[in-house]
Amino acid sequence: MEKYKVCPSCKTQNEPTLLECINCETDITRVKITDEKTERMLAEDVAGQQAAIVKWIRVCECGAKNPANARKCQSCNEDISDITPALDQEEEQTVSTYVLSSIDGQYVYKMTADEVIIGRENIMSDYLSAKSYVSRAHAKLVLKESELYIENMSNTNFTYVNNKKILEKTLLQDGDELGLGGTNVNGRRQEQAAYFLVRAGQCM
């Protein structure tokens, strides 16, 4: 998978090392590196979640909002069984979906469970099994209230977020670089370690 930066102004795909768009010269220093597979997975997941969070309600004459299956108003106890359910136009929820995209462009993992252990003999083993610096159970990923956390489980080569060794459960942000078993030294990464970009997609 080819990595690139998408210019926010003209949508041109640029090499990940560039600081300015080759087409319109817009500053793309802070633009997140991505690839087609990662963007497609994020878009598909957000679209599905947007459909899933639609909320139906019954609005009583007193103005109270009730669940769509309610037969009596929770506020005034009036019969609302004959009121047709409607979409709650004011309901807003933020849903986040997270994807880990390997720096080498060979692997993409979408977080679908609330908690997983990643490592050479756990989740992502089809990619990590060849990485000797990665432990069998290297780290734990926890998805809680639309936020993704990582916790190190390796006592040998450790886990790094943006090149810093983590000592406790750490919140991951869109664009963070995750290193399993290795660091980035002067732009060079260790071949037997594994490196990922964290990508997050959100919808309301």
Side-chain angles (χ1 to χ4, degrees):
M1 292 175 289
E2 183 181 354
K3 301 287 184 181
Y4 53 81
K5 290 181 179 179
V6 178
C7 174
S9 298
C10 68
K11 307 304 180 185
T12 298
Q13 293 182 6
N14 295 271
E15 291 291 328
T17 56
L18 293 179
L19 303 180
E20 290 185 349
C21 175
I22 57 174
N23 183 50
C24 66
E25 298 185 353
T26 295
D27 182 4
I28 57 173
T29 306
R30 297 178 181 273
V31 174
K32 304 295 189 297
I33 299 171
T34 189
D35 57 69
E36 289 184 6
K37 185 174 181 180
T38 300
E39 291 301 303
R40 186 169 60 252
M41 290 176 74
L42 286 171
E44 289 173 352
D45 208 46
V46 167
Q49 289 174 343
Q50 283 176 327
I53 65 174
V54 171
K55 184 177 180 181
W56 291 85
I57 58 171
R58 277 183 169 150
V59 181
C60 178
E61 290 182 358
C62 73
K65 295 179 180 180
N66 298 271
N69 61 352
R71 303 191 64 80
K72 287 192 174 184
C73 177
Q74 297 174 343
S75 178
C76 68
N77 211 34
E78 283 294 315
D79 184 358
I80 58 172
S81 59
D82 60 342
I83 296 177
T84 303
L87 285 174
D88 186 354
Q89 299 297 327
E90 297 181 5
E91 182 73 11
E92 286 190 354
Q93 298 183 37
T94 299
V95 178
S96 296
T97 182
Y98 292 90
V99 171
L100 301 185
S101 178
S102 66
I103 295 292
D104 62 12
Q106 301 300 310
Y107 190 82
V108 175
Y109 174 74
K110 181 169 67 175
M111 187 73 180
T112 56
D114 291 337
E115 185 175 304
V116 296
I117 294 174
I118 57 177
R120 287 189 291 110
E121 293 185 4
N122 283 275
I123 298 295
M124 299 168 62
S125 62
D126 47 340
Y127 173 73
L128 297 175
S129 60
K131 304 289 185 179
S132 61
Y133 289 1
V134 178
S135 299
R136 291 177 292 178
H138 196 99
K140 180 189 294 183
L141 291 171
V142 178
L143 186 58
K144 184 178 181 181
E145 297 179 352
S146 293
E147 293 184 324
L148 183 63
Y149 298 84
I150 189 165
E151 183 178 350
N152 177 64
M153 296 179 66
S154 174
N155 294 320
T156 51
N157 292 328
F158 306 103
T159 301
Y160 302 84
V161 176
N162 297 326
N163 232 28
K164 294 180 180 178
K165 183 168 71 173
I166 62 171
L167 302 175
E168 56 188 18
K169 186 184 291 185
T170 301
L171 177 64
L172 294 174
Q173 305 283 356
D174 185 35
D176 282 349
E177 180 174 320
L178 175 61
L180 303 180
T183 57
N184 181 338
V185 181
N186 297 323
R188 300 183 63 182
R189 298 178 178 87
Q190 294 156 292
E191 186 177 343
Q192 293 305 311
Y195 302 88
F196 298 88
L197 282 176
V198 178
R199 294 303 319 278
Q202 292 187 336
C203 64
M204 295 300 293

